[in-house]
Amino acid sequence: ADLDQVDEVQKDVAMAHYLRGVIAFKEKEWAVAGEHLQKVLAAIPGHLQSQLLMGIISFTNQDLQIAEEYLGNVVNSMPNNAHAVKILAATRIKLREPEKAIEVLDPLVRQQPDAQSMALIGSAYMLKGDQEKGQEWLNRAVEESPDVAALRTQLALTFLAGGETDKAISELKSAVDLGQDILQADVLLVLAHLKNKEFE
């Protein structure tokens, strides 16, 4: 309602478009949010909050190259913005650029580690082919947040990759028992039992 009054006084105020973009973003109306945020960036190209939201929208829509560009700008200007760093790292992992993901995550996990950032850097190391470091970070993520089934499933994947089937089964049972409906955990648990010839 307030923004409608702004429009009556003056059309195309950049901050009014930004706030409409935020409202649409919160309601997951990605296309509408993107339209408003693009208008902000046309008027104020360096507006970091709009770039961050555009990066998240692009990531959500699988426009990964565009997401990396927006988020890279934000992280270059605000290297301590943990939210931007994590999404940029996730984007780079999806782009199969683990070294670049590790590059931005390394300062974060040293200064303000949390389960999410540790899981991301663990995934990046696994993608890079460094199973030992990947497993170490994922293990720390599970220790930090033992009740998150998705993290236990990721850790189990590293055990399966290393041939440690019994450890994988233990983690997957814990993941399934948490009851968070992670289908991948159920499927992997079945496969791990098959690998151990535990058909029952």
Side-chain angles (χ1 to χ4, degrees):
D2 289 335
L3 289 168
D4 286 342
Q5 289 184 353
V6 172
D7 287 344
E8 286 174 17
V9 176
Q10 185 178 338
K11 286 282 185 186
D12 285 328
V13 174
M15 284 300 98
H17 280 300
Y18 172 68
L19 291 170
R20 287 191 189 281
V22 171
I23 292 166
F25 181 89
K26 285 182 177 292
E27 293 174 350
K28 294 185 169 61
E29 295 175 353
W30 309 127
V32 175
E35 283 174 22
H36 285 292
L37 295 168
Q38 290 287 11
K39 287 177 181 175
V40 179
L41 291 171
I44 315 168
H47 192 252
L48 291 173
Q49 291 91 337
S50 293
Q51 289 193 46
L52 175 58
L53 293 182
M54 282 302 299
I56 297 169
I57 291 167
S58 301
F59 177 80
T60 304
N61 291 334
Q62 298 296 310
D63 297 325
L64 300 177
Q65 298 286 358
I66 296 169
E68 184 177 33
E69 187 177 338
Y70 280 124
L71 295 165
N73 290 340
V74 175
V75 170
N76 284 339
S77 298
M78 303 166 66
N80 294 323
N81 186 320
H83 192 49
V85 168
K86 288 178 194 176
I87 302 165
L88 176 58
T91 302
R92 288 176 170 176
I93 288 168
K94 283 198 170 191
L95 286 168
R96 306 194 72 75
E97 297 174 345
E99 290 90 353
K100 286 186 174 182
I102 292 165
E103 184 185 320
V104 290
L105 283 167
D106 194 58
L108 180 64
V109 294
R110 292 181 191 283
Q111 292 164 22
Q112 41 178 321
D114 62 10
Q116 198 176 37
S117 59
M118 289 189 283
L120 279 166
I121 200 167
S123 298
Y125 274 116
M126 289 299 293
L127 184 59
K128 187 183 172 186
D130 190 337
Q131 188 182 318
E132 188 178 335
K133 271 196 171 177
Q135 198 171 91
E136 178 190 328
W137 280 110
L138 285 164
N139 203 38
R140 287 178 64 179
V142 168
E143 286 172 6
E144 181 78 17
S145 294
D147 297 333
V148 179
L151 291 179
R152 289 191 174 275
T153 305
Q154 273 185 280
L155 179 59
L157 273 170
T158 72
F159 287 134
L160 284 173
E164 298 177 273
T165 311
D166 290 338
K167 284 186 178 180
I169 287 172
S170 174
E171 287 299 333
L172 289 166
K173 279 182 176 173
S174 297
V176 170
D177 289 345
L178 285 168
Q180 292 167 14
D181 293 328
I182 305 291
L183 181 61
Q184 187 187 23
D186 291 294
V187 172
L188 288 172
L189 184 54
V190 170
L191 292 173
H193 280 307
L194 288 172
K195 192 174 179 183
N196 271 3
K197 298 186 177 177
E198 295 165 351
F199 302 122
E200 71 286 355

